[in-house]
Amino acid sequence: MSRKKRQSRRKRFLLSLERAAEDFLKHIVEEKPRVLLFIPLILIVWAIERWLFSLASWIPLALAVWATRQYGIYQCKLLVEELNSKWKRVALNTLPITPLEPCEWLNKLLTEVWFNYYNPKLSRRLSAIFEKRLKLRKPGLIERFELQEFSLGTCPPSLGLQGIRWSTSGDQRVMQMGLDWDTNEMSILMLVKLAKPLMGTTRIVINSLHIKGDLLFIPILDGKALLYSFASTPEVRIGVAFGSGGSQSLPATVLPGVSSWLVKLFTETIFKTMVEPRRRCLYLPVVDFRRKAVGGIVHVTVISANKLSRSCFKGRQQDGSSNGPLDAKSDEKDLQTFVEVELEELTRRTDVRLGSTPRWDAAFNMVLHDSTGTLRFNLYECPPNSVKYDYLGTCEIKMRHVEDDSTVIWAIGPDSGIIAKHAECSGEEVEVAVPFEGVNSGELKVRIVVKEWQFSDGSHSLNNFRLNSQHSLNGSSPLLPRTGRKLNITVVEGKNLSAKDKSGKFEPYIKLQYGKNVQRTRTSHTSSPFWNHKFEFDEISGGEHLRLKCFSDEIFGDENIGSAIVSLEGLVERKIRDVWIPLERVNSGEIRLQLSVMVDDNKGTKGSDLDSENGWIELDLLEARDLIGADLRGTSDPYVRVNYGQLKKKTKVIHKTLNPQWNQTLEFPDDGSRLVLYVKDHNSLLPTQSLGECVVDYQRLPPNQMADKWIPLQGVKRGEIHIRITRKVPELHKRPSLDSAPSLSKLHQIPAQIKQMIIKFRDLIEDGNLQELSTCLSELESLEDIQKGYIVQLETEQMVLLSKIKELGVEISNSSSSSTFSKRSSSLR
């Protein structure tokens, strides 16, 4: 074995020697091509030495010296190359500015992957940003628009044509490269409806784009993320074409001001989002859970501020107005400031604090409707004996959800530096001290906690493990398809609602809008109301949001005291989500909601197959209330037109009233068609005017069971219609109701409960406990509502029983008349 090892080592040594000799000969040939001319000379010398006289004593020595010298030169060259490469690496990490490096390979790689990967991905992402900016900055010439196509084309941008250069800014390394994007293959198509006086529709096509500027890339968080931005506002040019938009469109002419508006829109969007020092973030996660975040709940605490002075914030506008350090110190002592926190449309405000180092410790719940967000903190001064606030400064903190369910938080640091934090999971606190923009001193200290992220697949960052384990155990997703489910929403209570009425009267109530369905709570009489009002909606496809509006009941029109958009994504069956929703467009106020979903048990049962076979719909149009006035006198002549598939029927006209009573019954064959009610105002000569409309959902009703409901009218400010609807199935005999006895027993218990509540009510009045008094009053109102519901149920059962007796009598009379007729005919025969 040892002999074989020695042989193998010898072979490896000989191979390495041969390779070194080959490299050396190649070097000799490349560096000194004239060496080849010495070969004939060597042959001549060898011939002389062979036949004339001997040169063996000194020629081999000369050749050995020459070869040794050439090999030394070759080794020196290798050492110089190695030292140069090491020097480049050191220079890259230590020198403030490195030399330009060519990057043709980057553009070749981008050309290969642009069409199939980056073009569709960036087109989808930029189209949403572009459409949002268009809606915010729409000119008066355009009434509305629709983005029909968005494609960046097949020509990618050119990066680093002049090379890439690294520089140092403080402790950060910055890579700079040029961007030159000149494409004529872009296609952004918009269908635009023009406003008066032009009217009509037209098409606007953006078919070319030119952007030229310098990009900056800054690695943060030990290389886990990149911040990127433009060094300055880039040069932007776009090409716009106009076309026809349909039968009522304008000719394909140039609209004045549209091109300049689009160029300004492009430039402002880039300037406000990614021009130094405003930067965007690209995170490079190790793990990607392949989930898209659609919103989140953020807890923000404004802790304190430091080094505030009036001269620091206003020195740029009032140069030389200060009288010395004594005036500056007095200004700092009587400085009264507060902070306004903004996140999208949501704003919250702290209390006013005194001094140059105020401390607020004000905590707010904020709602985020995207995977990224910008928290803006505006500092205001509240001068004594003044009703106006003076704006002092602002600072921003940005956050972004990462694919590994963490959160990156970054802001502009001192001297346009970078502050970057990483929260590895939801619930982790991040404390940041952010300087105010554009000033030399003054910073704000805040604490940010992302409580949870909500994802498009219905999961949450707080209960990922529980959902994933349930998925693996059951073998299917815990979320059912978004159809055939009931959405249960309970408006529990509110707190810190902002009352704007100087008289002190404050009567808040809530309106919920889900799709076209609008519901409202009862009116409360305190700034911290307790409603505990439950609503049930039929879940609709694409209904991921619930709109909530809070109003104060006033004599001369209700006042809006806040609104919010509630995300319904991620609701799991039989799981209640209890959340406090902050109100937007106001300084304070939160509403507590309880959200849940459940499967409709009446859908997909065996009875549904019998409902549409030899059955009919019985619709009782009883009355309407609070209709709008269509006539000059403020009244209407209402009637109802019913559309059921291809069938159309209408009721009688009730003249000069806003609360008509029709009490008419209409019947239709049960074929599952859409049932729509149109309330109209009757006119003899003029066309009829709409007083509202509604869609009646009857498909999920059990057979032979009547539903009594008030339905709000859509398309108008107010109005409701009262109907009773039953799905009649002759073959399916209705079983005796098992709920009648419990309804009667509960109905008998309610008066005793009301009596106890009244006794408690008197005790609270004597004690002067206003908070418990409002709670007791709301409970008393809910008991009255329950009592009314049971009474209506009993009346309904009584009417159903009477109708059944009537139908039975009609059938008996018909059978008796048919039997007598048959007897007479047989006798005549």
Side-chain angles (χ1 to χ4, degrees):
M1 293 296 293
S2 60
R3 185 177 182 182
K4 291 182 179 179
K5 289 182 179 179
R6 286 196 298 270
Q7 290 178 355
S8 62
R9 290 176 183 176
R10 186 177 181 182
K11 289 180 180 180
R12 286 196 297 269
F13 175 74
L14 292 176
L15 289 174
S16 61
L17 187 62
E18 289 178 0
R19 289 173 184 172
E22 290 178 358
D23 294 338
F24 176 65
L25 291 176
K26 288 180 180 178
H27 168 72
I28 293 296
V29 171
E30 291 175 358
E31 296 294 328
K32 299 183 179 299
R34 295 182 180 180
V35 172
L36 298 176
L37 299 177
F38 286 92
I39 295 176
L41 182 59
I42 293 173
L43 293 175
I44 294 172
V45 171
W46 175 78
I48 294 172
E49 192 270 341
R50 177 85 170 117
W51 287 289
L52 297 180
F53 57 89
S54 177
L55 300 176
S57 59
W58 57 273
I59 290 180
L61 181 61
L63 291 175
V65 171
W66 177 81
T68 302
R69 185 172 181 276
Q70 295 298 323
Y71 184 74
I73 295 173
Y74 171 67
Q75 290 296 326
C76 290
K77 184 177 180 181
L78 293 179
L79 183 60
V80 168
E81 291 178 355
E82 184 178 358
L83 290 175
N84 286 334
S85 62
K86 289 182 179 180
W87 171 251
K88 287 182 179 180
R89 288 195 296 269
V90 172
L92 186 64
N93 296 322
T94 58
L95 292 180
I97 298 177
T98 62
L100 289 173
E101 302 174 12
C103 57
E104 291 85 357
W105 61 270
L106 181 60
N107 291 306
K108 292 180 180 178
L109 178 62
L110 187 60
T111 303
E112 294 294 330
V113 299
W114 174 262
F115 182 74
N116 293 322
Y117 180 72
Y118 280 107
N119 179 27
K121 187 174 183 178
L122 289 177
S123 297
R124 286 193 300 268
R125 187 168 182 177
L126 295 178
S127 63
I129 300 175
F130 182 73
E131 189 172 10
K132 184 178 180 180
R133 295 293 301 176
L134 282 178
K135 290 180 180 178
L136 293 176
R137 298 298 305 273
K138 183 176 62 177
L141 183 66
I142 296 175
E143 181 177 345
R144 67 173 182 266
F145 72 94
E146 177 184 353
L147 187 62
Q148 294 185 333
E149 182 183 351
F150 195 103
S151 175
L152 298 177
T154 59
C155 181
S158 298
L159 300 175
L161 293 180
Q162 304 300 323
I164 299 175
R165 173 176 291 162
W166 284 90
S167 60
T168 303
S169 177
D171 296 334
Q172 296 291 334
R173 299 287 292 169
V174 181
M175 185 180 72
Q176 181 176 353
M177 69 167 62
L179 181 141
D180 192 350
W181 195 4
D182 196 351
T183 175
N184 296 319
E185 300 177 358
M186 176 176 287
S187 178
I188 302 177
L189 176 61
M190 295 178 289
L191 181 62
V192 176
K193 183 177 180 181
L194 302 175
K196 294 180 180 179
L198 295 176
M199 303 298 288
T201 59
T202 187
R203 295 181 188 272
I204 300 177
V205 182
I206 301 176
N207 51 23
S208 64
L209 174 67
H210 175 77
I211 300 178
K212 188 175 183 180
D214 290 330
L215 284 174
L216 300 179
F217 294 90
I218 306 173
I220 59 172
L221 301 175
D222 298 329
K224 296 178 181 178
L226 286 175
L227 296 182
Y228 60 94
S229 61
F230 280 100
S232 60
T233 304
E235 177 187 346
V236 178
R237 294 195 307 269
I238 60 173
V240 181
F242 300 89
S244 59
S247 58
Q248 297 180 350
S249 63
L250 294 175
T253 56
V254 176
L255 298 177
V258 172
S259 298
S260 59
W261 162 64
L262 289 173
V263 172
K264 186 177 180 181
L265 181 67
F266 268 84
T267 306
E268 286 187 355
T269 301
I270 295 174
F271 177 76
K272 292 182 178 180
T273 56
M274 53 179 302
V275 173
E276 280 292 310
R278 295 176 176 85
R279 308 171 180 109
R280 300 184 70 89
C281 180
L282 174 64
Y283 197 82
L284 307 172
V286 179
V287 180
D288 189 354
F289 289 124
R290 302 289 180 181
R291 293 186 300 181
K292 179 183 178 183
V294 296
I297 299 177
V298 184
H299 187 77
V300 181
T301 303
V302 181
I303 301 174
S304 61
N306 191 22
K307 300 178 183 179
L308 300 185
S309 65
R310 191 179 290 109
S311 59
C312 174
F313 288 102
K314 297 185 178 181
R316 292 171 296 178
Q317 300 176 0
Q318 302 174 356
D319 294 334
S321 60
S322 177
N323 294 325
L326 295 177
D327 291 342
K329 291 183 179 179
S330 63
D331 287 345
E332 294 175 1
K333 290 182 179 180
D334 62 1
L335 186 64
Q336 299 182 7
T337 55
F338 66 90
V339 176
E340 184 183 64
V341 186
E342 293 183 11
L343 179 62
E344 297 178 353
E345 298 295 330
L346 184 60
T347 59
R348 287 293 179 267
R349 183 180 296 177
T350 66
D351 297 331
V352 178
R353 291 290 185 267
L354 186 66
S356 61
T357 58
R359 188 174 185 88
W360 294 281
D361 289 322
F364 309 105
N365 280 328
M366 316 291 280
V367 177
L368 189 62
H369 299 297
D370 201 352
S371 61
T372 60
T374 301
L375 281 166
R376 182 183 293 271
F377 301 89
N378 299 316
L379 182 67
Y380 291 91
E381 180 188 4
C382 184
N385 302 324
S386 177
V387 296
K388 292 184 178 180
Y389 304 134
D390 294 337
Y391 170 78
L392 297 181
T394 186
C395 59
E396 290 183 355
I397 297 177
K398 296 184 178 181
M399 64 186 69
R400 180 184 183 275
H401 173 261
V402 185
E403 288 77 2
D404 60 356
D405 281 356
S406 60
T407 306
V408 176
I409 299 172
W410 73 96
I412 301 172
D415 300 326
S416 298
I418 298 169
I419 299 174
K421 301 286 185 179
H422 185 214
E424 296 184 356
C425 61
S426 297
E428 182 178 341
E429 294 185 356
V430 174
E431 196 168 290
V432 186
V434 186
F436 289 97
E437 297 180 6
V439 296
N440 296 326
S441 66
E443 63 179 12
L444 184 69
K445 190 176 182 180
V446 298
R447 183 185 302 115
I448 300 174
V449 180
V450 179
K451 289 187 174 181
E452 69 172 33
W453 286 105
Q454 301 166 1
F455 304 104
S456 59
D457 62 352
S459 58
H460 291 256
S461 56
L462 280 181
N463 55 1
N464 290 334
F465 177 75
R466 176 171 54 83
L467 288 181
N468 293 334
S469 61
Q470 184 176 359
H471 176 84
S472 60
L473 291 174
N474 297 339
S476 60
S477 175
L479 292 177
L480 298 176
R482 295 187 63 83
T483 54
R485 300 199 299 181
K486 291 288 186 180
L487 177 63
N488 297 322
I489 298 174
T490 303
V491 182
V492 183
E493 57 182 322
K495 66 180 180 181
N496 301 327
L497 300 182
S498 58
K500 300 180 182 178
D501 194 352
K502 296 181 180 179
S503 63
K505 179 184 177 183
F506 190 57
E507 299 179 350
Y509 66 91
I510 300 295
K511 275 189 178 181
L512 301 177
Q513 180 180 356
Y514 182 66
K516 291 186 177 181
N517 197 350
V518 179
Q519 302 284 350
R520 61 162 288 177
T521 65
R522 68 179 74 89
T523 302
S524 181
H525 306 279
T526 176
S527 61
S528 298
F530 183 84
W531 292 286
N532 199 25
H533 203 145
K534 298 181 180 179
F535 301 97
E536 186 179 88
F537 299 92
D538 292 324
E539 191 179 46
I540 58 177
S541 179
E544 294 88 2
H545 294 92
L546 171 74
R547 295 186 180 274
L548 181 148
K549 293 184 179 180
C550 188
F551 293 91
S552 177
D553 194 357
E554 304 290 344
I555 299 176
F556 300 104
D558 297 345
E559 184 179 10
N560 189 346
I561 56 174
S563 62
I565 299 177
V566 184
S567 174
L568 301 178
E569 296 197 64
L571 292 179
V572 182
E573 184 189 350
R574 296 185 296 274
K575 299 291 184 182
I576 297 177
R577 184 194 297 176
D578 197 323
V579 291
W580 282 95
I581 305 297
L583 296 177
E584 301 176 358
R585 304 178 187 275
V586 288
N587 296 327
S588 64
E590 296 183 50
I591 303 296
R592 182 186 173 192
L593 299 181
Q594 290 180 349
L595 312 172
S596 63
V597 290
M598 60 180 293
V599 178
D600 190 2
D601 296 332
N602 297 322
K603 185 176 180 180
T605 60
K606 191 174 180 179
S608 62
D609 298 330
L610 300 173
D611 291 347
S612 59
E613 184 177 350
N614 300 324
W616 68 92
I617 302 296
E618 187 180 276
L619 176 65
D620 297 329
L621 296 168
L622 303 179
E623 57 182 326
R625 65 186 178 191
D626 199 21
L627 299 178
I628 62 174
D631 300 334
L632 297 177
R633 300 180 299 274
T635 61
S636 298
D637 303 325
Y639 70 95
V640 181
R641 191 187 75 197
V642 183
N643 286 12
Y644 183 80
Q646 301 296 327
L647 299 178
K648 295 182 181 180
K649 296 183 181 182
K650 68 177 184 177
T651 65
K652 58 187 176 184
V653 179
I654 308 298
H655 295 280
K656 298 180 181 179
T657 181
L658 300 180
N659 301 295
Q661 294 183 356
W662 296 286
N663 294 318
Q664 284 188 244
T665 301
L666 304 176
E667 294 181 351
F668 304 92
D670 188 1
D671 57 359
S673 298
R674 192 165 179 259
L675 181 59
V676 187
L677 307 182
Y678 298 92
V679 183
K680 300 281 188 178
D681 175 60
H682 176 74
N683 289 311
S684 301
L685 300 177
L686 299 175
T688 60
Q689 184 175 349
S690 174
L691 303 181
E693 63 184 73
C694 65
V695 178
V696 181
D697 186 10
Y698 67 93
Q699 287 86 353
R700 297 186 179 92
L701 289 177
N704 294 324
Q705 183 172 332
M706 181 178 62
D708 190 322
K709 59 178 73 176
W710 282 92
I711 304 178
L713 298 175
Q714 308 297 324
V716 289
K717 294 182 179 179
R718 63 179 187 272
E720 295 176 290
I721 186 170
H722 187 194
I723 68 165
R724 289 174 184 156
I725 186 169
T726 310
R727 300 185 72 179
K728 296 285 187 177
V729 181
E731 295 82 3
L732 187 63
H733 298 286
K734 185 179 178 182
R735 298 180 181 180
S737 178
L738 299 177
D739 296 332
S740 300
S743 298
L744 287 173
S745 62
K746 292 179 181 178
L747 185 61
H748 290 312
Q749 294 174 3
I750 288 178
Q753 296 177 2
I754 293 178
K755 188 176 180 179
Q756 294 177 359
M757 293 294 295
I758 291 174
I759 295 173
K760 183 180 178 182
F761 196 74
R762 292 173 181 173
D763 296 337
L764 291 173
I765 291 175
E766 293 176 358
D767 297 339
N769 193 343
L770 297 179
Q771 184 174 2
E772 291 293 334
L773 190 63
S774 63
T775 305
C776 184
L777 182 60
S778 62
E779 293 178 358
L780 184 62
E781 291 177 353
S782 63
L783 279 177
E784 291 178 353
D785 294 340
I786 294 172
Q787 185 182 27
K788 291 178 183 179
Y790 282 135
I791 292 173
V792 170
Q793 182 179 354
L794 291 176
E795 291 177 351
T796 302
E797 292 177 356
Q798 181 184 5
M799 292 181 62
V800 170
L801 183 58
L802 293 175
S803 64
K804 286 296 181 183
I805 294 172
K806 184 178 179 181
E807 291 176 2
L808 184 59
V810 173
E811 290 180 1
I812 293 172
S813 62
N814 291 335
S815 61
S816 61
S817 60
S818 61
S819 62
T820 54
F821 177 74
S822 61
K823 288 180 181 179
R824 289 179 182 177
S825 61
S826 61
S827 62
L828 290 175
R829 290 179 182 176

